[in-house]
Amino acid sequence: MRSTTDIPMSNAIVSSFNEIYTSYYKKSFFFAKSYVHDDLAAEDIASDSLIKLWEKLKTEKIDYIEPLLLTILKNKALDYLKHEEVKRTAFESMVDWHQQELSIRISTLESCDPNEIFSDEVESIIRETLKLIPEQTQRIFLLSRFENKSNKEIAELMGISVKGVEYHISKALKALRITLKDYLPLFYFFFYY
């Protein structure tokens, strides 16, 4: 013999939300969990579905509750799964992009030839770039990076402030970063302390 909870209820015999919750929460939870495979998500879907069902029962005459509840559960579980699919697709895209970027860094580093770092081409680019910057900027940069003078020593030697020295070094580094764009890792290796 079927229990009363197995008999489709009409809203005439449903008197409270607690009655709906008691009768249908467990079924709703297990139905949702069988699709979403996540306890917390299934709890939310079951609770939200029962609330939506209760709101409909307060405003409409429903002959059979279970088909309506199942429709609500189905739609909420579908919404959840579609949202999860979008999140997973976005995550996989990020992972793919990260993997590609990592592969590029690995292959670039593997092809890095230390002899090339000190090649005539790189030295020529540095020399030509330094010729293009103002003489004071060039002198300050050479003192800093090639004669290992501190900013304070350069400031005293050139008769300018330490901030002025920092400005000129920054200006030279910016010019070199542009001209050595194809050798960016080398740029950092040579010029950053």
Side-chain angles (χ1 to χ4, degrees):
M1 189 167 134
R2 297 171 76 186
S3 73
T4 53
T5 57
D6 292 333
I7 298 168
M9 295 181 171
S10 72
N11 63 340
I13 60 171
V14 176
S15 59
S16 72
F17 178 74
N18 284 344
E19 190 177 335
I20 288 176
Y21 191 87
T22 304
S23 298
Y24 292 107
Y25 178 79
K26 205 177 240 186
K27 290 179 182 185
S28 298
F29 170 78
F30 285 115
F31 175 83
K33 186 178 175 186
S34 70
Y35 286 98
V36 301
H37 298 177
D38 180 288
D39 285 359
L40 291 175
E43 287 173 10
D44 288 344
I45 290 168
S47 297
D48 290 348
S49 297
L50 292 173
I51 290 168
K52 186 168 184 174
L53 175 66
W54 175 243
E55 288 169 354
K56 279 195 170 290
L57 288 172
K58 290 191 301 186
T59 59
E60 299 173 31
K61 182 178 181 332
I62 308 293
D63 291 328
Y64 298 102
I65 290 175
E66 288 185 347
L68 176 60
L69 176 57
L70 201 54
T71 301
I72 295 168
L73 284 164
K74 171 191 145 188
N75 290 335
K76 289 202 175 285
L78 269 173
D79 289 346
Y80 172 83
L81 291 173
K82 287 176 182 175
H83 181 71
E84 286 300 299
E85 184 179 40
V86 168
K87 281 184 357 190
R88 178 154 292 140
T89 301
F91 178 75
E92 286 170 0
S93 294
M94 285 173 37
V95 168
D96 287 347
W97 177 85
H98 182 69
Q99 185 60 46
Q100 288 174 341
E101 194 263 342
L102 186 58
S103 295
I104 289 168
R105 285 191 285 151
I106 289 170
S107 64
T108 303
L109 191 54
E110 285 175 342
S111 66
C112 177
D113 180 0
N115 294 322
E116 209 177 89
I117 294 173
F118 298 95
S119 73
D120 292 338
E121 182 183 356
V122 173
E123 288 181 24
S124 172
I125 293 171
I126 293 169
R127 269 196 308 280
E128 293 304 312
T129 303
L130 291 176
K131 284 181 190 174
L132 296 174
I133 60 178
E135 192 176 320
Q136 186 178 22
T137 301
Q138 182 185 127
R139 175 87 177 111
I140 289 169
F141 184 77
L142 291 171
L143 286 168
S144 170
R145 295 310 195 255
F146 293 99
E147 295 182 27
N148 295 319
K149 301 270 187 210
S150 71
N151 289 358
K152 187 178 179 192
E153 290 172 322
I154 298 168
E156 290 170 3
L157 188 66
M158 301 292 290
I160 61 173
S161 69
V162 172
K163 286 277 184 210
V165 171
E166 291 168 359
Y167 166 78
H168 286 286
I169 291 171
S170 174
K171 193 171 166 182
L173 286 172
K174 184 177 179 183
L176 284 164
R177 191 168 37 247
I178 292 167
T179 58
L180 289 171
K181 66 182 181 305
D182 295 332
Y183 301 94
L184 209 52
L186 307 179
F187 167 77
Y188 293 120
F189 180 80
F190 280 124
F191 301 119
Y192 273 86
Y193 303 140

Coordinates of all heavy atoms in Angstrom, one line a residue, residues 28-56:
S28 N 13.5 15.5 -3.6 CA 14.0 16.6 -4.4 C 15.5 16.6 -4.3 O 16.2 16.7 -5.4 CB 13.4 17.9 -3.9 OG 12.0 17.9 -4.1
F29 N 16.0 16.4 -3.1 CA 17.5 16.4 -3.0 C 18.1 15.3 -3.8 O 19.1 15.5 -4.5 CB 17.8 16.3 -1.5 CG 19.3 16.0 -1.2 CD1 20.2 17.0 -1.3 CD2 19.8 14.7 -1.0 CE1 21.6 16.8 -1.1 CE2 21.1 14.4 -0.8 CZ 22.0 15.5 -0.9
F30 N 17.6 14.0 -3.6 CA 18.2 12.9 -4.3 C 18.0 13.0 -5.8 O 18.9 12.6 -6.6 CB 17.7 11.6 -3.8 CG 18.2 11.2 -2.4 CD1 17.4 11.2 -1.3 CD2 19.6 11.0 -2.3 CE1 18.0 10.9 -0.1 CE2 20.2 10.7 -1.1 CZ 19.4 10.6 0.1
F31 N 16.9 13.6 -6.3 CA 16.7 13.8 -7.7 C 17.8 14.7 -8.2 O 18.5 14.4 -9.2 CB 15.3 14.3 -8.0 CG 15.1 14.7 -9.5 CD1 14.8 13.7 -10.4 CD2 15.3 16.0 -9.9 CE1 14.6 14.0 -11.7 CE2 15.2 16.3 -11.2 CZ 14.8 15.3 -12.2
A32 N 18.0 15.9 -7.6 CA 18.9 16.9 -8.0 C 20.4 16.3 -7.9 O 21.2 16.5 -8.8 CB 18.8 18.1 -7.2
K33 N 20.7 15.6 -6.8 CA 22.0 15.1 -6.6 C 22.4 14.1 -7.7 O 23.5 14.0 -8.2 CB 22.2 14.5 -5.3 CG 23.6 14.0 -5.0 CD 23.8 13.5 -3.6 CE 25.2 13.0 -3.5 NZ 25.5 12.3 -2.3
S34 N 21.4 13.3 -8.2 CA 21.7 12.3 -9.2 C 22.1 13.0 -10.5 O 22.8 12.3 -11.3 CB 20.4 11.4 -9.5 OG 19.4 12.2 -10.1
Y35 N 21.8 14.2 -10.7 CA 22.3 14.9 -11.9 C 23.5 15.9 -11.6 O 24.4 15.9 -12.5 CB 21.1 15.8 -12.5 CG 20.1 14.9 -13.2 CD1 18.9 14.5 -12.6 CD2 20.4 14.4 -14.5 CE1 18.0 13.7 -13.2 CE2 19.5 13.6 -15.1 CZ 18.3 13.2 -14.5 OH 17.4 12.4 -15.1
V36 N 23.5 16.6 -10.5 CA 24.5 17.6 -10.3 C 25.7 17.0 -9.6 O 26.8 17.6 -9.6 CB 24.0 18.8 -9.6 CG1 22.9 19.5 -10.4 CG2 23.5 18.5 -8.2
H37 N 25.6 15.9 -9.0 CA 26.7 15.2 -8.3 C 27.5 16.1 -7.3 O 28.7 16.0 -7.1 CB 27.7 14.7 -9.3 CG 27.2 13.6 -10.2 ND1 27.9 13.1 -11.2 CD2 25.9 13.1 -10.3 CE1 27.1 12.2 -11.9 NE2 25.9 12.2 -11.3
D38 N 26.7 16.9 -6.6 CA 27.3 17.8 -5.6 C 26.2 18.1 -4.5 O 25.1 18.6 -4.8 CB 27.6 19.2 -6.3 CG 28.2 20.2 -5.3 OD1 27.5 20.7 -4.5 OD2 29.5 20.4 -5.4
D39 N 26.6 17.7 -3.3 CA 25.6 17.7 -2.2 C 25.1 19.2 -1.9 O 23.9 19.4 -1.8 CB 26.2 17.2 -0.9 CG 26.3 15.7 -0.9 OD1 25.8 15.0 -1.9 OD2 26.8 15.1 0.1
L40 N 26.0 20.1 -1.9 CA 25.6 21.5 -1.6 C 24.7 22.1 -2.7 O 23.7 22.7 -2.4 CB 26.8 22.4 -1.3 CG 27.6 22.1 -0.1 CD1 28.8 23.0 0.0 CD2 26.8 22.3 1.2
A41 N 25.1 21.8 -3.9 CA 24.3 22.3 -5.0 C 22.9 21.6 -5.0 O 21.9 22.3 -5.2 CB 25.0 22.0 -6.3
A42 N 22.9 20.3 -4.7 CA 21.6 19.6 -4.7 C 20.7 20.1 -3.6 O 19.5 20.3 -3.7 CB 21.9 18.1 -4.5
E43 N 21.3 20.5 -2.4 CA 20.5 21.0 -1.3 C 19.9 22.4 -1.7 O 18.7 22.6 -1.5 CB 21.4 21.3 -0.1 CG 21.8 20.0 0.6 CD 22.9 20.3 1.7 OE1 23.1 21.4 2.1 OE2 23.4 19.3 2.3
D44 N 20.7 23.2 -2.4 CA 20.2 24.5 -2.9 C 19.1 24.3 -3.9 O 18.1 25.0 -3.8 CB 21.3 25.3 -3.5 CG 22.3 25.9 -2.4 OD1 22.0 25.9 -1.2 OD2 23.4 26.3 -2.8
I45 N 19.3 23.4 -4.8 CA 18.3 23.2 -5.9 C 17.0 22.7 -5.2 O 15.9 23.2 -5.6 CB 18.8 22.2 -6.9 CG1 19.9 22.9 -7.7 CG2 17.7 21.7 -7.8 CD1 20.7 21.9 -8.6
A46 N 17.1 21.7 -4.3 CA 15.9 21.2 -3.7 C 15.2 22.3 -2.9 O 14.0 22.4 -3.0 CB 16.3 20.0 -2.8
S47 N 15.9 23.0 -2.1 CA 15.3 24.1 -1.3 C 14.6 25.2 -2.2 O 13.5 25.6 -1.9 CB 16.3 24.7 -0.4 OG 16.8 23.8 0.5
D48 N 15.4 25.6 -3.2 CA 14.9 26.7 -4.1 C 13.6 26.2 -4.8 O 12.6 26.9 -5.0 CB 15.9 27.1 -5.1 CG 17.1 27.9 -4.5 OD1 16.9 28.3 -3.3 OD2 18.1 28.1 -5.2
S49 N 13.7 24.9 -5.2 CA 12.5 24.3 -6.0 C 11.3 24.3 -5.1 O 10.2 24.6 -5.5 CB 12.9 23.0 -6.5 OG 13.9 23.1 -7.4
L50 N 11.5 23.9 -3.8 CA 10.3 23.8 -2.9 C 9.7 25.2 -2.6 O 8.5 25.3 -2.5 CB 10.7 23.0 -1.6 CG 11.1 21.6 -1.8 CD1 11.6 20.9 -0.6 CD2 9.8 20.8 -2.3
I51 N 10.6 26.1 -2.5 CA 10.1 27.5 -2.3 C 9.3 28.0 -3.5 O 8.2 28.6 -3.3 CB 11.3 28.5 -2.0 CG1 11.9 28.1 -0.6 CG2 10.9 29.9 -2.1 CD1 13.3 28.8 -0.3
K52 N 9.9 27.7 -4.7 CA 9.1 28.1 -5.9 C 7.8 27.4 -6.0 O 6.8 28.0 -6.4 CB 10.0 27.8 -7.1 CG 9.4 28.4 -8.4 CD 10.4 28.4 -9.5 CE 9.7 29.0 -10.8 NZ 10.6 29.1 -11.9
L53 N 7.8 26.1 -5.7 CA 6.5 25.4 -5.7 C 5.5 26.0 -4.7 O 4.4 26.2 -5.0 CB 6.8 23.9 -5.3 CG 5.6 23.0 -5.1 CD1 4.9 22.8 -6.5 CD2 6.0 21.7 -4.5
W54 N 6.0 26.3 -3.5 CA 5.1 26.9 -2.5 C 4.5 28.2 -3.0 O 3.3 28.5 -2.8 CB 5.8 27.1 -1.2 CG 5.1 27.8 -0.1 CD1 5.3 29.0 0.5 CD2 3.8 27.3 0.5 NE1 4.4 29.3 1.4 CE2 3.5 28.3 1.5 CE3 3.1 26.2 0.4 CZ2 2.3 28.2 2.2 CZ3 1.9 26.1 1.2 CH2 1.6 27.0 2.1
E55 N 5.4 29.0 -3.6 CA 4.9 30.3 -4.1 C 3.8 30.1 -5.2 O 2.8 30.9 -5.2 CB 6.0 31.2 -4.7 CG 6.9 31.7 -3.5 CD 8.3 32.3 -4.0 OE1 8.6 32.2 -5.2 OE2 9.0 32.8 -3.2
K56 N 4.0 29.1 -6.1 CA 3.0 28.8 -7.1 C 1.7 28.3 -6.5 O 0.6 28.7 -6.9 CB 3.5 27.8 -8.1 CG 4.4 28.4 -9.1 CD 4.6 27.4 -10.3 CE 5.3 28.0 -11.4 NZ 4.5 28.9 -12.2

